[in-house]
Amino acid sequence: MKDPLGHGMPKLDDYYLFLAVADAGGLSGAEKATGTSQPTLSRRMADLERTLSKRLFERGPRGYTLTSEGRALLQEAEALREAATKLCRFQLRDTSPEVRITAGGWTTRYVARHLSQIWTPESVWRPALMASNSNVDIARREADIGIRNRRPEQSWLAGRKLSPITYAEYAAGPEVAGYVTLHHDMPTTPSERWLRSTHPNAIIASASDARSAADMAIAGIGRVILPTFAGRDVAGLIQVSPDISALTHDEWLVCHHDARHDPPVRAALEGLAALLTAPERFAT
C-alpha cells in the first residue's frame, strides 16, 4: 500500500504488533500475546522502522526498549488499541452474525417463547430481540428486521404481509369494569389510542408497559385490550368482549431492501414468517 506521494505505508497489523512488543518490552512476551513467532516479530518491527524511517527500539539483552520516536508512536498508536482488539476478536469469532429483530412487546414475547421452533445454535444467524412500541429505524440500521402493524411506506424498505391480528378486551372476569392502559406519555399503540378516543372516562389506571397493565388486569383492577394471540396465553385473564374490528390489522415483516438478500437476514425472515403465520398462533 502506498500513500499519495508513493511511499510505502505500514499495515494496520504492523501497529498492532508494535503495541504488543512495546507492551511486553520484548519479543517473547509479544509472541505469547499475539501468537506470532519471535523471528516474524523481529522482521516486522525492522520493516516498520524501515517504512517509517524511524528507529523505534533499542535492542539489547534486556529486550526491546522504546526510543523517543518509539514512545511518540506508542502515544499515537494507543487510539488503535481498542480497534485492533475488536478486529482480532472478529477474526477469531466463529459464531453466526447477529440479526436484530424489533417488535411490540407482546409480539416480542411470543417470538421469544417460541424461538426454538425456528432457531438452533447451528443456525446461520443469532437472534437479538428488541421490544419497542416505537418504530426502530431500519433505514439507519438500528435493527435488521421489524415486525410492524402496517405496510412500510419508505421505498428502501421491503415488506411481507403475514396474517391479520385481532384485539379484544381481557379481564379477570366479566364483572370487571374500567380499563387499564399505558401511560399517556409512553410510545402509543393503536389499541391505546383507540381506547383513549372511545372510552376516555373509563380509564381508571395506567402502567409503563403492557405486561404490567396485564398484571393489573389479572389483579382485577380493570380490563386491558390485548392482541388475541397474546391474551389467550396470559394466565388469569379471559376474553370479555368480542373482537374489536376497528383494531384488526395485517402484520408485516419489514427489512431494508439491501439486507433482505443477506443469508443470515434471509434465514431469519423465513423463520419468522413461518412462526408468525403458524395456525397454532391463532387457535382458540
Side-chain angles (χ1 to χ4, degrees):
M1 180 178 180
K2 295 183 180 294
D3 66 14
L5 298 178
H7 301 130
M9 295 181 66
K11 299 177 181 177
L12 181 61
D13 59 347
D14 290 332
Y15 292 115
Y16 171 68
L17 294 177
F18 166 78
L19 286 169
V21 175
D23 289 345
L27 302 181
S28 177
E31 179 183 33
K32 294 178 181 178
T34 66
T36 303
S37 69
Q38 292 186 45
T40 299
L41 286 167
S42 177
R43 176 178 57 79
R44 294 287 292 274
M45 292 304 97
D47 290 344
L48 180 61
E49 289 179 319
R50 186 163 46 253
T51 301
L52 295 176
S53 299
K54 299 180 186 297
R55 186 171 180 80
L56 303 175
F57 298 101
E58 294 290 350
R59 296 158 174 84
R62 295 185 178 181
Y64 277 45
T65 303
L66 288 171
T67 65
S68 59
E69 295 280 17
R71 290 192 295 273
L73 178 60
L74 178 63
Q75 185 175 0
E76 295 293 332
E78 281 293 343
L80 292 175
R81 188 184 298 278
E82 183 179 355
T85 300
K86 290 181 178 179
L87 289 170
C88 289
R89 288 174 180 169
F90 179 82
Q91 181 178 4
L92 295 173
R93 190 176 70 191
D94 60 1
T95 55
S96 301
E98 184 178 80
V99 175
R100 298 159 300 169
I101 302 161
T102 178
W106 290 113
T107 303
T108 299
R109 183 170 180 262
Y110 182 87
V111 171
R113 293 178 65 185
H114 298 86
L115 190 61
S116 61
Q117 297 178 23
I118 62 169
W119 183 87
T120 70
E122 290 73 39
S123 298
V124 298
W125 59 287
R126 287 185 298 129
L129 303 183
M130 305 161 58
S132 175
N133 287 330
S134 300
N135 279 345
V136 176
D137 197 337
I138 296 175
R140 294 178 181 270
R141 305 302 174 93
E142 294 175 356
D144 301 296
I145 297 173
I147 304 172
R148 301 278 176 80
N149 59 16
R150 62 183 181 274
R151 179 198 296 269
E153 298 175 352
Q154 299 91 337
S155 61
W156 55 85
L157 295 181
R160 178 174 178 177
K161 186 165 70 171
L162 302 177
S163 300
I165 302 298
T166 58
Y167 290 73
E169 297 176 11
Y170 288 82
E175 73 284 354
V176 176
Y179 296 92
V180 180
T181 190
L182 298 180
H183 290 312
H184 62 82
D185 56 351
M186 301 299 295
T188 60
T189 63
S191 59
E192 189 262 350
R193 293 193 294 271
W194 177 85
L195 181 61
R196 289 190 181 279
S197 67
T198 58
H199 301 79
N201 297 326
I203 297 173
I204 58 176
S206 63
S208 63
D209 60 270
R211 180 66 232 195
S212 296
D215 287 338
M216 293 169 73
I218 292 170
I221 302 301
R223 299 183 173 203
V224 66
I225 297 175
L226 298 175
T228 53
F229 75 82
R232 66 173 60 97
D233 286 339
V234 179
L237 293 181
I238 60 173
Q239 185 170 337
V240 293
S241 79
D243 291 353
I244 302 170
S245 59
L247 292 177
T248 300
H249 64 77
D250 289 323
E251 190 169 58
W252 290 80
L253 270 181
V254 178
C255 72
H256 199 286
H257 272 294
D258 294 341
R260 62 191 175 121
H261 301 298
D262 186 38
V265 175
R266 168 57 58 186
L269 285 168
E270 294 301 326
L272 289 168
L275 178 64
L276 296 173
T277 57
E280 52 267 29
R281 186 185 184 205
F282 305 99
T284 57

